[in-house]
Amino acid sequence: MSEKKQQVSRRQFLNYTLTGVGGFMAAGMLAPMVRFAIDPVLQPAAQGNYQAVAQLDEITNEPQRFDWTMDQVDGWYESTVTKSAWVYRNDNDEIIALSPVCKHLGCFVSWAGSEDYPDQFFCPCHDGRYFKDGENVPGTPPAAPLDEYEFKTEEGTLYLGKAKPKGGVI
Amino acid sequence: MKKGKGMKFVGDSRITAEKVRFIPKDYSEYPGKTEAFWPNFLLKEWLAGSVFLVGFLCLVLAHPAPLEGPADPTDAAYLPLPDWYFLFLYQLLKYKFASAQYFVIGALVMPGLAFGGLMLAPFLDKGKGRRPNKRPISVSLMLLGIIAVFWLTWEAASHVDWEAKAEENRPIPPGSTVEIDTEDPGYAVYENNCLSCHGGQLEGVAGPALIGMEYSVEEIKQIAVEGIGDMPPGQFNGTEEELQQLAEFIVATNEQAAEDH
Amino acid sequence: MLQKIYDWVDERVDITPLWRDIADHEVPEHVNPAHNFSAFVYCFGGLTFFVTVIQILSGMFLTMYYVPDIENAWRSVYYLQTQVAHGQIVRGMHHWGASVVIVMLFLHTLRVFFQGAYKKPRELNWIVGVLIFFIMLGLGLTGYLLPWDNKAYFATVVTLEIAEGIPYIGEMTKTLLAGHPEIVGAQTLTRFFAIHVFFLPAALFALMAVHFILIRKQGISGPM
C-alpha cells in the first residue's frame, strides 16, 4: 500500500464489486428472457402478400364485392380467414378497392345497402354512410374514409395487398 | 434482554434460551379507548368481513358470471365494450376534443394528468391541514375528477341496451349444430322471412342465433311481428297460420337442441 | 398438545416476537367502529385485502380447468361453468370479485384522500397504493380477455387500438402486448394469461407487502 491517501476504500471497493457481480447475475438471468418476450416486436414487418382477387374484366364502374381467403399464421396457429373488398373503376378508369370495414366501430358496409341511398356505402349498424370514393358522409357516425387496399394488376388479374388508411387520421 | 456475557442460547443457535414470559400489553397509556389488534379489534373486522362476504356471495349466486359466445373476429356486427371500470376512458375517446387528430389528448394527456396528479397528490398538496376545508384546491379537483368519471361512465353505459346485447350473445358451443327439420312447414316460412338474418341452421348471421332461447310460441309470434332490440318490426310477412307454424317450428327445434345437449 | 408443539417450535425458532408484534399493536379509538360508527370507512382497505384473497384463491382454482389456448379457452370456461360442480360459483366469485375489488379500492382511496392521510410522513405509502390501483386495473384488463368470448375479444381489440394510437412507441407497445403486429389471436391470449397470472400478481404481492409494512411502521393516521 502506498502512503498516498486511498482513492477507494476497501468497503467501497467491495460494494462496487458486489454491485457489478449482482448486475452480471441479473443480466445473465434476464437477457435471454427479455429477448424472448420482445421477439414479436423485432420480427420484420410482414409484407402484405398480394392475393389474387378478381379478373380485371369483371370489374365495372359499379362497386362489386369480391371475397377471397388467405392463410393466416399466428405463431403456431394457422387458420384460413376470409377477406372482402368493394372494387370498381372510377371515372378516370382507375381501379379502387375499398375495405368493407366501417371506420366507426368495424361493422361491414355494403354498396347501396340502404334503399334510400343507392349511390353510397351504407353501414347497417349505426347508419354510417360513405360516398362512392370512400369518403365518409359528414354528419354520419364514421370519422374517416374507408381504408383502401393496395393493389397490382398482372395478366388481367387484380391482386390486393394490405388495406391502408386513406389520409385523415392515423 | 440481557446483553453481553451471560447470555444463554439454545444449542449452538442464536435463539436465546431464556424466555420472557408474555405479559399482555397495557394500553392505558394510549389516548382514548385503545385496544389490542389481536384478538379484540380483528374480531370486529372479521365480523364486518363476514357481513360483506354474505352480501358478496348473494351477488355471486344471484348473478352468474356472464359468458358470451366464443370469440369470432368475423362477427362484424359486434359492439365492443370494455369492462365497466374502463368505460369512462372509452367514452372520453368518443368526444371531438379527444378523438381523431386530438386522440393523443384523450388517450394520453388527459388520463395521464389525472392519474399522475393522483399519484403525486402528496407533493402537490403539501399544506399541513388535513381537513378537506383546509385544502380546497385539491379537494375540489378530486370532486371534479369523481364527477367526471361518474358522468362519463353513465354516458357510456346508458347508450347500451345491455339486455339485448346479452340476449344476442348467448353462449352456444361451436359444433353443436342441431338437426333442422327442413320438412317442417314452419321451415318454409322461416326460409322466406328469417333465414337471411338468422342463418340456415338458426345459428345467427346478422341477427342472433335462435338456438338456446327460452321464448314461448306466443312470444316468438310477437317478436316476429313487432321486432325486439335491434330487430325492426314488420320482418314477418304472411298469414296468421304461417306465423303459428313458424313459432312452433322454432320452439320445437329449441326443444330438440335442449334434449341433444 | 398444540401448546406443546408450539413450545417445541418456539424454543428452537423463537417465533413469539414475530406474531406478537402484529397481534399486540394498538388500535386507536378513532378507527374502531365499535366506539364511533363512522369509523367503518377504515374497513375499506381491509375489505379490499379480503376480496384480493378471494381473487387469488378463486383464480388458483380456476386454472385447474382453464387452458389459455384460443381453440379451447372458451370451451374450458364453458365447461367449468356448466359441467363442474360449483363452477358457476367459483367463476362468479372471480368475475364479481374483480369488480368489487375495484369498488373497494376506489372507496379506500377516497377515504385516504379526503382525510388527507397521505400527507407527511405517509407520501410513500400513498404512491405504493396508487401503484396497487394501477396493477388491479391491469389485472382487470388482462383477465377480461381470458374467457375468449366475443366481449373479451372485441374489448381487447379496442384496447390494443388505443395502445397503437400512442405516438412513436404505439405500434411497438401493441405488438409487445398482443404478440403479433396485426393479429389478436393465439399469441395474445397466452401473453395476457402470463401477465394476468404471473407478472401482475408478483408485482401486486411485492407492493402489498410494502404497503402493509409501511402501515405497521408508521401506524395508522391520527384522528382529523
Side-chain angles (χ1 to χ4, degrees), chain B residues 212-227:
Chain B
M213 294 191 308
E214 283 168 6
Y215 289 122
S216 68
V217 170
E218 290 305 314
E219 284 167 326
I220 291 174
K221 281 164 76 176
Q222 191 187 348
I223 292 168
V225 175
E226 294 173 11

Side-chain angles (χ1 to χ4, degrees), chain B residues 15 19 22 27 32-33 35 37-38 63 65-66 68-69 71-72 78 84-85 118 122 125 127 129-130 132 135, chain C residues 12 14 20 23-25 27 29 32 74 81 91 96 99 113-116 118-119 126 140 148-151 222:
Chain B
I15 307 285
K19 292 287 167 203
F22 163 63
Y27 294 97
K33 297 179 184 110
E35 64 183 17
F37 176 70
W38 180 296
H63 297 276
E68 297 187 345
D72 176 13
Y78 193 85
W84 64 267
Y85 38 85
L118 185 73
D125 170 28
R130 278 180 50 200
R135 43 196 186 100
Chain C
R12 284 158 180 77
D14 199 20
R20 271 285 153 208
D24 288 348
H25 79 260
V27 179
E29 184 184 348
N32 195 332
W74 188 88
Q81 184 156 338
R91 175 157 183 261
W96 292 113
S99 291
F113 182 86
F114 285 112
Q115 289 193 341
Y118 55 79
K119 287 171 178 280
W126 169 264
W148 201 249
D149 61 355
N150 261 333
K151 172 177 73 174

Side-chain angles (χ1 to χ4, degrees), chain C:
Chain C
M1 182 62 194
L2 271 178
Q3 185 64 42
K4 276 200 174 139
I5 295 174
Y6 179 85
D7 289 341
W8 189 89
V9 175
D10 192 45
E11 187 195 350
R12 284 158 180 77
V13 202
D14 199 20
I15 52 175
T16 305
L18 298 179
W19 66 268
R20 271 285 153 208
D21 174 61
I22 295 165
D24 288 348
H25 79 260
E26 73 287 356
V27 179
E29 184 184 348
H30 74 279
V31 305
N32 195 332
H35 297 303
N36 182 1
F37 185 71
S38 67
F40 73 88
V41 293
Y42 287 93
C43 284
F44 296 144
L47 290 177
T48 309
F49 177 63
F50 181 42
V51 188
T52 309
V53 171
I54 293 179
Q55 290 304 92
I56 293 164
L57 286 176
S58 55
M60 278 161 50
F61 281 94
L62 282 175
T63 56
M64 287 183 172
Y65 293 93
Y66 177 78
V67 272
D69 162 59
I70 55 173
E71 286 281 321
N72 292 305
W74 188 88
R75 287 163 199 264
S76 69
V77 175
Y78 188 77
Y79 176 83
L80 77 86
Q81 184 156 338
T82 54
Q83 305 291 314
V84 182
H86 291 183
Q88 184 89 271
I89 299 176
V90 176
R91 175 157 183 261
M93 287 169 90
H94 204 69
H95 173 88
W96 292 113
S99 291
V100 172
V101 89
I102 301 278
V103 172
M104 286 297 145
L105 263 178
F106 183 67
L107 294 174
H108 178 57
T109 310
L110 290 190
R111 193 277 289 172
V112 174
F113 182 86
F114 285 112
Q115 289 193 341
Y118 55 79
K119 287 171 178 280
K120 190 184 172 186
R122 298 189 174 80
E123 301 98 323
L124 274 179
N125 219 8
W126 169 264
I127 291 179
V128 171
V130 175
L131 289 177
I132 290 177
F133 205 136
F134 291 165
I135 299 268
M136 285 293 186
L137 289 177
L139 281 165
L141 187 80
T142 48
Y144 203 55
L145 176 69
L146 300 186
W148 201 249
D149 61 355
N150 261 333
K151 172 177 73 174
Y153 174 83
F154 286 101
T156 305
V157 170
V158 171
T159 309
L160 291 171
E161 266 170 29
I162 292 173
E164 199 179 7
I166 303 170
Y168 308 116
I169 57 162
E171 288 200 15
M172 212 176 77
T173 315
K174 187 203 163 180
T175 312
L176 201 58
L177 284 170
H180 192 285
E182 277 139 40
I183 306 166
V184 176
Q187 302 187 78
T188 317
L189 184 58
T190 48
R191 254 166 206 260
F192 273 48
F193 178 74
I195 295 171
H196 183 79
V197 174
F198 294 106
F199 288 81
L200 289 180
L204 182 69
F205 292 158
L207 288 170
M208 279 193 342
V210 175
H211 205 65
F212 293 152
I213 289 168
L214 283 176
I215 297 171
R216 276 299 299 118
K217 267 205 113 85
Q218 298 179 325
I220 197 154
S221 57
M224 300 272 280

Side-chain angles (χ1 to χ4, degrees), chain A residues 142-162:
Chain A
L146 291 170
D147 289 352
E148 215 171 302
Y149 279 102
E150 295 175 323
F151 68 91
K152 62 179 182 185
T153 52
E154 270 171 25
E155 294 170 6
T157 307
L158 174 73
Y159 292 83
L160 292 188
K162 272 181 166 181

Side-chain angles (χ1 to χ4, degrees), chain B residues 107-160:
Chain B
L108 280 185
V109 177
M110 289 173 69
L113 281 177
F115 285 107
L118 185 73
M119 189 143 154
L120 298 176
F123 306 102
L124 301 172
D125 170 28
K126 292 171 80 130
K128 279 244 158 59
R130 278 180 50 200
R131 289 182 174 279
N133 55 15
K134 293 254 177 66
R135 43 196 186 100
I137 297 176
S138 57
V139 166
S140 45
L141 279 176
M142 184 61 152
L143 287 175
L144 204 68
I146 295 171
I147 291 169
V149 166
F150 269 77
W151 188 77
L152 285 170
T153 307
W154 173 255
E155 276 293 295
S158 62
H159 288 303
V160 181

Side-chain angles (χ1 to χ4, degrees), chain A residues 38-51:
Chain A
I38 64 170
D39 188 54
V41 180
L42 300 176
Q43 294 288 344
Q47 285 305 310
N49 278 335
Y50 283 88
Q51 303 282 334

